[in-house]
Amino acid sequence: MQVKAPTALPSANPAKHRAVLGQLSDMDLRLLQVFKAVVECGGMSAAELELNIGTSTVSRHIKDLEARLGLTLCRRGRAGFALTAEGQRVYDETLRLLASVRSFRDSIDDIHSRMGGQLAVAVFDKTASNPAARIGEAIAAFTAQAPDVQLQLHVGSINAIERGVIDGSYQVGIIPAHRSSQSLAYTDLFGETMLLYCGAGHPLFGASSPPADWHAVRGYQFAGLGYHSPNMELSHQARLQRAATGFDQESIATLILSGRFLGFLPDHYAEAFERQGRMQAVNPALFHYHCQFVSLMRRSPAPARAAQAFAQCLEDAHRPGR
């Protein structure tokens, strides 16, 4: 008599031990890019403009991604948009994956001995009005050298640019020097002067006797940047009490123009407000500091040829004697 082998019992949860994703497709990458945009824009409606597709389509893409991954990535409702814990992890992994994809494409371009693809450069805000910042010259030289590279120029806070270069979202950053990371390589570029300003209506605006020392300005409300920066370092050293917080130069200028706060701004940026009689430097011979701007790139993995070429164009544009 032939004995049949016992039939294997079906698993109580057959999906538990199999991979949710099989092969990663172009559509999966597209869905992840949509998810990244939704997270960074703070919701689906806001991402509509960024992605140039309708909110209903954005929502459908997110649902498709959730079904594909077998996870709930975000909550949306009257309380607004919020990532779940799983959604935050998927977002972090998405950043790494997309950075790796860009790095792979850059490497293929290197193999072909040509510069193509995209190059994402991030710059701290309000540098365009600085005559010492010859970033435009560097861009002109780079585009002549690498016409096939699609240049993407971003503006961000110091911390956001540092994080973006480290995680591969940006290939080159330009920020005020304020600390160093072993993960990044720095090159000096240009400088700018920061002056203390008050707006029309402030007690110090047009004052016949401006403050003669740091102690004399500590009694006035101060507006400062809300992240580690030369601005924050100086305000701590001078023991200025921050009564309002901005997260870019534009917000600090707006607070100063209210006439209620003192704040530091680049002299080249504040010049237009001074000409209009809306802002005034407070004893600039005393209340000032210098900012040195640097370019930064990730040390490892080695930057692609396009990033290295752009960094060299920046260095050449700011070489002494030019």
Side-chain angles (χ1 to χ4, degrees):
M1 182 176 67
Q2 186 177 9
V3 179
K4 290 185 178 181
T7 303
L9 294 175
S11 169
N13 185 5
K16 184 176 181 181
H17 298 294
R18 70 177 175 82
V20 177
L21 282 175
Q23 292 183 344
L24 198 64
S25 67
D26 287 345
M27 179 53 70
D28 292 323
L29 290 174
R30 172 61 179 159
L31 295 178
L32 289 169
Q33 289 169 336
V34 171
F35 174 60
K36 175 178 178 288
V38 169
V39 174
E40 293 175 353
C41 291
M44 298 185 193
S45 297
E48 177 181 352
L49 295 175
E50 174 73 17
L51 296 167
N52 197 29
I53 56 177
T55 303
S56 61
T57 303
V58 175
S59 178
R60 187 174 69 253
H61 285 334
I62 297 299
K63 289 178 181 177
D64 289 346
L65 181 62
E66 289 179 325
R68 186 88 169 97
L69 298 176
L71 296 169
T72 299
L73 301 177
C74 54
R75 310 287 184 192
R76 47 265 198 200
R78 292 183 179 179
F81 174 87
L83 282 178
T84 62
E86 293 83 2
Q88 182 62 55
R89 287 190 62 184
V90 171
Y91 173 69
D92 294 339
E93 293 301 327
T94 296
L95 293 182
R96 280 188 277 272
L97 173 63
L98 295 179
S100 295
V101 170
R102 281 194 300 270
S103 178
F104 174 78
R105 288 171 177 163
D106 291 342
S107 296
I108 296 302
D109 285 336
D110 283 350
I111 293 171
H112 284 286
S113 299
R114 67 182 178 86
M115 287 186 283
Q118 296 177 339
L119 178 68
V121 178
V123 185
F124 187 59
D125 70 319
K126 301 297 177 287
T127 58
S129 56
N130 186 346
R134 295 190 282 272
I135 300 173
E137 294 179 26
I139 290 173
F142 174 76
T143 53
Q145 184 181 143
D148 294 331
V149 175
Q150 182 186 22
L151 190 61
Q152 297 178 341
L153 193 62
H154 302 260
V155 174
S157 68
I158 297 175
N159 293 1
I161 293 172
E162 288 173 321
R163 287 195 304 269
V165 173
I166 289 173
D167 69 27
S169 299
Y170 309 132
Q171 285 73 61
V172 182
I174 301 171
I175 63 170
H178 68 120
R179 61 184 175 188
S180 60
S181 166
Q182 293 183 347
S183 301
L184 299 171
Y186 303 86
T187 301
D188 285 343
L189 295 179
F190 59 90
E192 73 179 8
T193 300
M194 304 289 291
L195 301 180
L196 186 66
Y197 289 92
C198 63
H202 191 276
L204 293 179
F205 191 88
S208 56
S209 300
D213 56 35
W214 288 102
H215 177 75
V217 298
R218 290 181 191 133
Y220 297 99
Q221 292 186 313
F222 175 75
L225 291 175
Y227 50 81
H228 195 278
S229 59
N231 180 289
M232 181 176 282
E233 290 177 357
L234 187 281
S235 62
H236 285 168
Q237 290 172 6
R239 301 198 302 278
L240 302 177
Q241 299 302 312
R242 193 171 71 212
T245 301
F247 291 91
D248 51 33
Q249 306 282 34
E250 184 88 10
S251 58
I252 296 297
T254 302
L255 290 165
I256 293 170
L257 290 169
S258 73
R260 306 290 298 194
F261 303 96
L262 299 178
F264 283 98
L265 288 174
D267 59 354
H268 56 84
Y269 172 52
E271 184 181 359
F273 297 117
E274 288 190 282
R275 287 199 306 267
Q276 296 166 7
R278 303 174 64 196
M279 193 179 289
Q280 184 179 85
V282 179
N283 195 353
L286 176 62
F287 302 118
H288 67 270
Y289 66 94
H290 177 79
C291 265
Q292 179 64 33
F293 276 70
V294 296
S295 65
L296 56 152
M297 291 194 300
R298 195 165 56 174
R299 290 187 184 276
S300 180
R305 288 177 61 241
Q308 295 181 36
F310 186 83
Q312 187 61 56
C313 289
L314 280 172
E315 189 174 351
D316 292 343
H318 295 93
R319 201 177 299 281
R322 284 206 51 158

Short mmCIF file of all heavy atoms in Angstrom, two decimals, residues 37 53 64 67 70 72 87 97 103 106 108 121 128 136 189 207-208 213 219 238 276 281 285 287 297 303 307 315:
data_model
loop_
_atom_site.label_atom_id
_atom_site.label_comp_id
_atom_site.label_asym_id
_atom_site.label_seq_id
_atom_site.Cartn_x
_atom_site.Cartn_y
_atom_site.Cartn_z
N ALA A 37 6.63 64.25 -1.84
CA ALA A 37 6.13 65.60 -2.06
C ALA A 37 4.99 65.93 -1.10
O ALA A 37 4.92 67.04 -0.56
CB ALA A 37 5.66 65.76 -3.51
N ILE A 53 -0.61 67.94 -10.44
CA ILE A 53 -1.72 67.00 -10.66
C ILE A 53 -2.81 67.31 -9.64
O ILE A 53 -2.55 67.94 -8.61
CB ILE A 53 -1.27 65.53 -10.54
CG1 ILE A 53 -0.61 65.27 -9.18
CG2 ILE A 53 -0.35 65.13 -11.67
CD1 ILE A 53 -0.21 63.81 -8.97
N ASP A 64 -2.81 53.94 -3.41
CA ASP A 64 -2.15 52.86 -4.15
C ASP A 64 -0.85 52.44 -3.46
O ASP A 64 -0.54 51.24 -3.37
CB ASP A 64 -1.85 53.29 -5.59
CG ASP A 64 -3.11 53.42 -6.44
OD1 ASP A 64 -4.17 52.91 -6.01
OD2 ASP A 64 -3.04 54.03 -7.53
N ALA A 67 -1.64 50.47 -0.32
CA ALA A 67 -2.04 49.11 -0.67
C ALA A 67 -0.83 48.29 -1.10
O ALA A 67 -0.71 47.10 -0.76
CB ALA A 67 -3.08 49.15 -1.79
N GLY A 70 1.10 47.65 2.10
CA GLY A 70 0.36 47.02 3.19
C GLY A 70 0.46 47.80 4.47
O GLY A 70 0.43 47.23 5.57
N THR A 72 -0.53 51.77 6.57
CA THR A 72 -1.18 53.08 6.61
C THR A 72 -0.10 54.12 6.83
O THR A 72 0.58 54.12 7.85
CB THR A 72 -2.22 53.15 7.74
OG1 THR A 72 -3.22 52.15 7.52
CG2 THR A 72 -2.88 54.52 7.78
N GLY A 87 4.54 55.59 8.48
CA GLY A 87 4.73 56.55 7.40
C GLY A 87 6.03 57.31 7.54
O GLY A 87 6.71 57.59 6.53
N LEU A 97 16.36 55.93 -0.59
CA LEU A 97 16.22 55.23 -1.87
C LEU A 97 16.38 56.18 -3.05
O LEU A 97 17.13 55.92 -3.99
CB LEU A 97 14.86 54.53 -1.94
CG LEU A 97 14.50 53.91 -3.29
CD1 LEU A 97 15.48 52.80 -3.65
CD2 LEU A 97 13.06 53.39 -3.28
N SER A 103 22.26 58.80 -7.23
CA SER A 103 23.69 58.48 -7.22
C SER A 103 24.03 57.46 -8.30
O SER A 103 25.06 57.56 -8.97
CB SER A 103 24.08 57.94 -5.84
OG SER A 103 25.44 57.58 -5.81
N ASP A 106 24.05 59.19 -11.64
CA ASP A 106 25.26 60.00 -11.77
C ASP A 106 26.47 59.12 -12.08
O ASP A 106 27.34 59.50 -12.87
CB ASP A 106 25.51 60.78 -10.48
CG ASP A 106 24.47 61.87 -10.25
OD1 ASP A 106 23.78 62.26 -11.21
OD2 ASP A 106 24.33 62.33 -9.09
N ILE A 108 26.48 56.26 -13.65
CA ILE A 108 26.40 55.81 -15.05
C ILE A 108 26.89 56.92 -15.98
O ILE A 108 27.61 56.66 -16.95
CB ILE A 108 24.96 55.40 -15.40
CG1 ILE A 108 24.54 54.19 -14.56
CG2 ILE A 108 24.85 55.07 -16.89
CD1 ILE A 108 25.42 52.97 -14.71
N VAL A 121 21.34 71.99 -6.08
CA VAL A 121 22.18 72.91 -5.31
C VAL A 121 21.27 73.70 -4.37
O VAL A 121 20.21 74.18 -4.79
CB VAL A 121 22.95 73.87 -6.24
CG1 VAL A 121 23.78 74.86 -5.42
CG2 VAL A 121 23.84 73.09 -7.19
N ALA A 128 21.50 86.63 -3.18
CA ALA A 128 21.55 87.20 -4.54
C ALA A 128 21.93 88.67 -4.53
O ALA A 128 22.54 89.17 -5.49
CB ALA A 128 20.20 87.01 -5.23
N GLY A 136 26.09 83.48 -9.45
CA GLY A 136 25.62 83.56 -10.84
C GLY A 136 26.75 83.30 -11.83
O GLY A 136 26.54 82.62 -12.85
N LEU A 189 34.13 80.58 0.42
CA LEU A 189 33.69 81.27 -0.79
C LEU A 189 33.73 82.78 -0.64
O LEU A 189 34.56 83.46 -1.21
CB LEU A 189 32.27 80.81 -1.16
CG LEU A 189 32.11 79.34 -1.56
CD1 LEU A 189 30.66 79.03 -1.89
CD2 LEU A 189 33.01 78.99 -2.75
N ALA A 207 17.19 107.93 16.72
CA ALA A 207 17.61 108.41 18.05
C ALA A 207 18.89 109.24 17.93
O ALA A 207 19.81 108.88 17.19
CB ALA A 207 17.83 107.24 18.99
N SER A 208 18.94 110.34 18.66
CA SER A 208 20.12 111.22 18.59
C SER A 208 21.31 110.61 19.32
O SER A 208 22.46 110.90 19.00
CB SER A 208 19.79 112.59 19.22
OG SER A 208 19.31 112.43 20.54
N ASP A 213 26.88 100.48 23.93
CA ASP A 213 27.45 99.17 24.26
C ASP A 213 26.35 98.13 24.22
O ASP A 213 25.16 98.44 24.07
CB ASP A 213 28.15 99.19 25.63
CG ASP A 213 27.24 99.67 26.75
OD1 ASP A 213 26.01 99.37 26.70
OD2 ASP A 213 27.72 100.31 27.68
N GLY A 219 17.83 95.72 26.76
CA GLY A 219 16.49 96.02 27.24
C GLY A 219 15.43 96.05 26.14
O GLY A 219 14.23 96.17 26.43
N ALA A 238 26.15 87.86 23.20
CA ALA A 238 25.80 89.22 23.62
C ALA A 238 24.69 89.24 24.66
O ALA A 238 24.30 90.32 25.13
CB ALA A 238 25.38 90.05 22.40
N GLN A 276 14.32 103.39 1.62
CA GLN A 276 12.89 103.71 1.72
C GLN A 276 12.53 104.37 3.05
O GLN A 276 11.38 104.75 3.26
CB GLN A 276 12.07 102.44 1.54
CG GLN A 276 12.21 101.79 0.17
CD GLN A 276 11.64 100.36 0.14
OE1 GLN A 276 11.03 99.91 1.11
NE2 GLN A 276 11.84 99.67 -0.97
N ALA A 281 20.16 101.09 10.56
CA ALA A 281 21.18 100.36 11.31
C ALA A 281 21.43 101.07 12.64
O ALA A 281 21.44 102.30 12.71
CB ALA A 281 22.47 100.27 10.52
N ALA A 285 29.00 100.82 13.68
CA ALA A 285 30.43 100.68 14.01
C ALA A 285 30.64 99.70 15.15
O ALA A 285 31.71 99.09 15.26
CB ALA A 285 31.01 102.05 14.37
N PHE A 287 27.68 97.44 16.53
CA PHE A 287 26.80 96.27 16.49
C PHE A 287 26.84 95.62 15.10
O PHE A 287 25.99 95.88 14.24
CB PHE A 287 25.38 96.68 16.87
CG PHE A 287 25.28 97.32 18.22
CD1 PHE A 287 24.83 98.62 18.35
CD2 PHE A 287 25.65 96.63 19.37
CE1 PHE A 287 24.75 99.22 19.59
CE2 PHE A 287 25.58 97.23 20.62
CZ PHE A 287 25.13 98.52 20.73
N MET A 297 29.96 69.71 0.43
CA MET A 297 29.60 68.49 -0.29
C MET A 297 29.83 67.31 0.64
O MET A 297 30.62 67.39 1.59
CB MET A 297 30.44 68.31 -1.56
CG MET A 297 30.14 69.30 -2.66
SD MET A 297 30.86 68.77 -4.26
CE MET A 297 32.60 68.68 -3.85
N PRO A 303 31.29 62.58 -4.37
CA PRO A 303 30.33 63.30 -5.22
C PRO A 303 30.52 62.98 -6.69
O PRO A 303 31.64 62.68 -7.14
CB PRO A 303 30.63 64.78 -4.93
CG PRO A 303 31.35 64.78 -3.62
CD PRO A 303 32.12 63.50 -3.57
N ALA A 307 28.71 67.38 -9.61
CA ALA A 307 28.81 68.11 -8.35
C ALA A 307 30.21 68.65 -8.14
O ALA A 307 30.39 69.80 -7.70
CB ALA A 307 28.42 67.19 -7.19
N GLU A 315 34.43 77.72 -6.61
CA GLU A 315 35.75 78.09 -6.09
C GLU A 315 36.47 79.04 -7.03
O GLU A 315 37.07 80.04 -6.60
CB GLU A 315 36.57 76.83 -5.86
CG GLU A 315 37.87 77.07 -5.11
CD GLU A 315 38.60 75.79 -4.77
OE1 GLU A 315 38.01 74.69 -4.97
OE2 GLU A 315 39.75 75.87 -4.32
#
